[in-house]
Structures are given as structure tokens and as C-alpha cells.
Amino acid sequence: MIFDFKKPRVAVLGGGACGMTAAWELAAAGCEVTVLEREPRLGGLCATHERDGYRFDLGGHRFISRSGELVDRVRGLLGEELLSRTRRSVILHGDRRYRYPLDAADLARNLASVEAVRAVASYARARLGQRVAPGADASFEDWVVARFGSHLYDLFFGPYTEKLWGLPPSQLSADWASERISLLDLGDALLRLLRVRRGGRPRSYARGYFYPRLGIGQIFEAMGEEIRRLGATVTLGATVTGLDRDRRGQVRAVRWRDEGGRERGLDCDFVISTVSLPLLARWLAPGDGEVERHAEALRYRAVRFLNLMLDRPAVSENTWMYVSEPRYLATRIQEPRHRSPEMAPPGKTSLMLEIPCDVDDAVWRAADASLLARCTDDLGRLGFPGIAADTRGCFSTFVAEGYPIYTLGYGAHQLALFAHVERAGNLASCGRQGTFRYIFMDIAMEMGLHAARQVLAGALRPRDYAGFRSDRQLIESQSVTA
Ligand SMILES: Cc1cc2nc3c(=O)[nH]c(=O)nc-3n(C[C@H](O)[C@H](O)[C@H](O)COP(=O)(O)OP(=O)(O)OC[C@H]3O[C@@H](n4cnc5c(N)ncnc54)[C@H](O)[C@@H]3O)c2cc1C
């Protein structure tokens, strides 16, 4: 292969957190970079939608990172536009509200004593069982029950998890629980409160975080401007449809379709792809039955966001409210102006409800009006009356690939598809969709930087991304936060 290593032509597929950060690094180093993004805006899952002066992210996003370099770069990019915020969140459960991160005194006030006794009894049984015959922790359910007992599992973890993923937790891999262990503070705090667990520091979420004045998407809009200023090309409405490879298997060109439906081609020396791993593998091996089998096994959970523009100054004091019970449709309720006052016009507020679903199921297809009626009814029962009367407008945003579903045995399928990517030699599959990993934006951005630096060093190593930063340390306890 003959090309000028000083200026390789790099195609970046997807303009989300990972792709944009990769393009930023490459553009700054003088590479010939082209970002192809299917949507009409940048940011991917970190995009912000604006309507009538109200701004909504795709789910509540906050920016924290363990990487001082990354935080400094984002600070440098946004300057005064990057706000330092403090989160205030609650879990709505039954007719109670539990502060989140959990607070022992708050729990003591809220938890009925009979529930506490049951929780301790089932916890003790679980721990004893673990000592006598330790389980293998295959599923999410095994993992949680073994650590917290069946009562807490039935009360909170089981229903929330099933609602979020649309599958019984017995069919989900324990990886999700162990990677996101900080979500399990309820048990930790409860056990401390009941003096079953002592010592060490309680696990807890970081309260401080960074947030741009105009929504999380502002980071990537600003990055887009900077990348263009550095001479790179960012094309929106560009849907990648396939890859052309040479006899050795290297990718020589990316095929894509523009907004007008015209088929186009982009010659390249390297490809950093952030599209979903199953989609990329199908491009690499079209019609291959084995690849199809692995790709079929890796599914994503979709999310529909119902965005309510309200004619009132506030709904609650909380940034996030978690709703675990299956009788309510949403898993989380967000009030965006608590992240930045500019997420709603002066004197007004808004709500965003996160509703997990599957593409084309009843929730995905429901008309806004019927979903609004159902959700305002739910909100009334959750203790927020009068929302329907104050709603001045409502619209939905959708993400088809919200959460990679870690079903039992997913890892073997993921690695089999990675092996296909590796064979190309000049291609890396990165980011949340590209690795089929439940990562946050900071890790997606770090992956982008890593891939860009590999290109600059002359060789992509696709294997790096399957386990990139999977050290299972809690991001919340070690992050540079606001
Ligand atoms: C509800 C929710 C809440 C979250 N909250 C947080 C949070 O608070 N903090 C945090 O750090 N992280 C959070 N995350 C995770 C964060 O959003 C992701 O980790 C991050 O956005 C992933 O970036 P990415 O670039 O890897 O992927 P994506 O953002 O998915 O980017 C992939 C891009 O590829 C594009 N694309 C796909 N197919 C094609 C194609 N064929 N042609 C061209 N373009 C294509 C997509 O349009 C997209 O823009 C949250 C995620 C969700 C779903």
C-alpha cells in the first residue's frame, strides 16, 4: 500500500461522541478526514433537539470523565459555555421517594420496618448460600440475588431491569450488573443502615458533573465547527451503505448515499467506524450465514423520549427521577432545566420521559397524543398532578440503538464479529454501537482519541476496542467532576 503517512485519508463513519473526537484529533494532525453522519445533526446519542425555545437531549446526559486530558479538552472547546452542575435525583417507588445517591437517614425515614426485616433476612440467606455453595453469577438475576437477597431484587432491581431491557433478568448476562455496579447503591446503603455491612466507604455516584449551557449536543456542534475550521469535511444526511475492499481485504472506499438519494463513494486509507457492530460485519461479509447468525444475536433496546413543553416554572427539584415499577411506562423522568436554565424559555420548564421499547412495537408506534395521555396519567399517580393542563406542546424523539442487550452468551457473538473486522487491517470498530458495549460518552470519546492516535502511528489495532477501559472501576468514584 502506498500513501503518504503524514496525510492519510481517513473516513469516520458516524458523527457521535466517538467519531467526532477521532475526527477532531485527526484534523488537528493535518489528516484528510471526512465524517459521514446519517442524521441531520451531530452528536449521535449525545444530540440535543430544540423546539420553540425548549431543548431536549436524548435522555439525560451528564459529562464526567476519569481522563483529565479529555475534561481539559472539552473545557478548552466550550470555555464559559461548560457549566458545573450538581445532580439531585430520587427513586420513585410505591408512594415513597428515596434520595439518590442514597442517604441512610432518608432511607430510615422512608423504608417500612417490615420491609427492612425482610430485606435483611433474605440478604442473610443469600450470603450464607454464597458461602456454602457459591453460585456462578451467570445471569443478572443470579448476580443481584447473590449479593442483595431476593427481597431487594423483587422490590427494585428485578422490575426495573425487566422494564428497561424488556427481558427477564434471568436471561441477561451478569456483565451489566458488574459493570454498572454503582447503580446498586440501594442495597449497599440499606445494608449499612441496617448495620449488616460496615467499613469501607459507601459506594456512591458523583454529584458534580459538567453540562453545556445549550444541551449535551453543544459539545459536538462546537467540535464540528472546530473540525471544519481545521479543514476536515463533515457531511450530514450521509448514510453509509457498504465498503469496497481490495483483494487483501483492506477497505479502499466507503459507499454512501446522500440526502438526495444519490450513491456516492469515498476513497480512504483508514476507516474508523462507529456504526453498529452487526451492521459493519454484514457489510464486510454480505450473505455469510455465520456472520448473519452472530449479528442476529446482538440486539439493541430502543428508547422513545416523550418531550413535554410546559407552561409552568418547575415540576420538582430533581434532575433525574427513576421509576422502577412496571405499572408506569417510563423508567426515568428528567427535568432538563435543572441541568442548564437555558433548556427551557425563561419562567418555563419541561419534562422528558425515557420509555424503553423495541423498534416497531406498540410504544414505538403509538401516536404522541395517546402516549401523552398515558404518561400524564402516570405522572399524576406519581405525585405530579396537572401536567396535562400545563402542556403547551409535546413531541417524541427516538433511538433505535439505545442499549446493547447483554443476553446470556452475547460475548461470543461480539468477539466473532470483531474477528471479521480485524481481518480488514485498516478498519476499527469503535464507540458504543461499534463495540456493542454499554459505555458512556467519555469512554466513547477516549476510544475515538485512541483510534485516531493509532492511525497517526500508522496501524489500527481493532482488538483494542473490544475491552478498551473495561477495568470495571467505578467511573463515579474516580472522575474529574464539576
Ligand atoms: C438514555 C441514555 C442516557 C445516557 N446518559 C449518559 C450520560 O449521562 N453520560 C454519559 O457519559 N453517557 C450517557 N449515555 C451514553 C452515551 O450517549 C454514549 O456512550 C455515547 O453517545 C456513544 O457515542 P458513540 O459515538 O459511540 O455512538 P453514537 O452516539 O450512537 O454515534 C454513532 C453515530 O453513527 C451514526 N450512524 C449509524 N449508522 C450510520 C450509517 N449507516 N451511516 C452514517 N452514520 C451512521 C449515528 O447516526 C450516530 O450519530 C446515555 C445513553 C443513553 C441511551
Side-chain angles (χ1 to χ4, degrees):
M1 180 164 46
I2 301 169
F3 58 79
D4 179 2
F5 264 111
K6 284 190 203 123
K7 271 200 156 198
R9 297 162 303 167
V10 189
V12 176
L13 315 188
C18 182
M20 290 302 287
T21 312
W24 187 20
E25 184 74 353
L26 290 163
C31 296
E32 202 179 309
V33 191
T34 305
V35 178
L36 298 173
E37 169 54 51
R38 177 182 60 189
E39 298 296 323
R41 62 178 62 72
L42 292 171
L45 289 177
C46 292
T48 300
H49 292 246
E50 193 272 339
R51 190 173 293 188
D52 300 336
Y54 292 83
R55 295 172 176 275
F56 296 92
D57 296 345
L58 297 166
H61 277 74
R62 65 185 171 146
F63 176 59
I64 55 174
S65 171
R66 252 187 275 154
S67 161
E69 183 204 354
L70 188 61
V71 171
D72 286 346
R73 288 181 71 147
V74 173
R75 269 199 194 119
L77 187 68
L78 291 194
E80 298 288 301
E81 297 289 286
L82 192 65
L83 311 177
S84 294
R85 309 296 292 172
T86 307
R87 71 180 266 160
R88 194 188 156 100
S89 321
V90 290
I91 300 170
L92 308 178
H93 193 83
D95 55 358
R96 314 266 163 93
R97 286 168 197 210
Y98 300 92
R99 230 180 253 162
Y100 195 79
L102 292 155
D103 174 300
D106 176 65
L107 271 174
R109 270 195 305 277
N110 273 314
L111 203 66
S113 55
V114 60
E115 220 151 55
V117 170
R118 279 198 202 136
V120 174
S122 83
Y123 173 79
R125 266 199 308 278
R127 298 313 292 171
L128 200 65
Q130 273 287 93
R131 290 218 173 138
V132 177
D137 276 350
S139 74
F140 178 91
E141 180 175 328
D142 299 338
W143 198 99
V144 176
V145 170
R147 279 154 190 81
F148 300 100
S150 55
H151 189 73
L152 278 179
Y153 173 82
D154 291 340
L155 193 70
F156 180 70
F157 303 119
Y160 183 82
T161 305
E162 182 151 358
K163 187 158 93 163
L164 180 60
W165 298 101
L167 284 176
S170 57
Q171 291 177 27
L172 292 169
S173 160
D175 285 3
W176 184 66
S178 55
E179 281 177 17
R180 299 257 73 90
I181 191 166
S182 55
L183 292 177
L184 306 181
D185 288 345
L186 178 60
D188 187 54
L190 178 64
L191 299 173
R192 283 171 194 284
L193 175 74
L194 300 169
R195 303 188 189 286
V196 175
R197 176 177 292 158
R198 294 164 197 258
R201 289 179 52 190
R203 288 194 290 266
S204 108
Y205 261 152
R207 285 178 190 269
Y209 65 97
F210 296 108
Y211 193 78
R213 194 172 59 83
L214 298 177
I216 204 73
Q218 192 179 2
I219 298 179
F220 303 99
E221 294 298 337
M223 218 180 264
E225 275 172 33
E226 180 61 8
I227 290 170
R228 287 184 178 109
R229 195 188 63 75
L230 290 166
T233 306
V234 179
T235 309
L236 300 175
T239 303
V240 178
T241 54
L243 304 171
D244 290 334
R245 299 163 77 194
D246 63 17
R247 261 182 291 152
R248 285 183 305 156
Q250 294 214 328
V251 181
R252 288 279 147 256
V254 173
R255 274 180 272 126
W256 60 283
R257 195 180 316 115
D258 69 17
E259 276 174 323
R262 281 183 299 271
E263 299 296 333
R264 314 279 289 257
L266 173 71
D267 293 341
C268 57
D269 302 311
F270 289 100
V271 180
I272 297 176
S273 173
T274 70
V275 309
S276 80
L277 180 60
L279 179 64
L280 181 68
R282 285 179 172 121
W283 290 340
L284 289 169
D288 181 318
E290 205 46 24
V291 165
E292 193 50 44
R293 189 174 67 80
H294 295 302
E296 272 286 313
L298 298 183
R299 291 187 300 110
Y300 292 83
R301 183 76 161 151
V303 193
R304 178 171 180 167
F305 305 96
L306 192 68
N307 305 308
L308 277 58
M309 298 173 273
L310 303 181
D311 189 9
R312 64 156 89 169
V315 173
S316 85
E317 296 175 310
N318 301 302
T319 329
W320 278 265
M321 294 187 272
Y322 293 86
V323 186
S324 60
E325 292 166 280
R327 63 188 162 130
Y328 302 116
L329 217 46
T331 42
R332 283 199 292 193
I333 302 166
Q334 326 259 348
E335 191 166 354
R337 69 168 302 123
H338 293 312
R339 287 160 207 274
S340 160
E342 300 207 28
M343 296 301 278
K348 315 266 187 230
T349 195
S350 58
L351 287 179
M352 176 224 301
L353 279 72
E354 280 181 37
I355 310 173
C357 57
D358 290 321
V359 172
D360 276 339
D361 73 2
V363 165
W364 182 271
R365 283 186 284 106
D368 279 344
S370 72
L371 214 52
L372 178 66
R374 163 75 197 269
C375 288
T376 49
D377 190 48
D378 281 359
L379 285 165
R381 286 189 288 145
L382 283 163
F384 305 104
I387 299 290
D390 288 344
T391 300
R392 292 291 164 267
C394 157
F395 69 99
S396 294
T397 40
F398 299 82
V399 295
E401 291 164 348
Y403 297 99
I405 306 178
Y406 285 5
T407 46
L408 292 175
Y410 78 99
H413 302 291
Q414 178 199 38
L415 289 180
L417 296 187
F418 258 109
H420 277 273
V421 175
E422 201 165 19
R423 279 183 216 136
N426 62 343
L427 163 70
S429 187
C430 307
R432 176 151 157 147
Q433 326 299 357
T435 54
F436 198 81
R437 285 179 50 202
Y438 189 99
I439 55 167
F440 279 5
M441 64 187 279
D442 61 306
I443 302 293
M445 293 170 83
E446 280 194 64
M447 259 191 211
L449 279 179
H450 192 73
R453 286 169 185 168
Q454 287 191 339
V455 166
L456 294 172
L460 277 170
R461 290 191 302 277
R463 278 274 152 142
D464 283 9
Y465 303 95
F468 186 85
R469 298 268 188 281
S470 64
D471 43 11
R472 300 198 173 175
Q473 287 170 324
L474 296 189
I475 176 179
E476 281 78 12
S477 58
Q478 297 174 19
S479 295
V480 182
T481 54

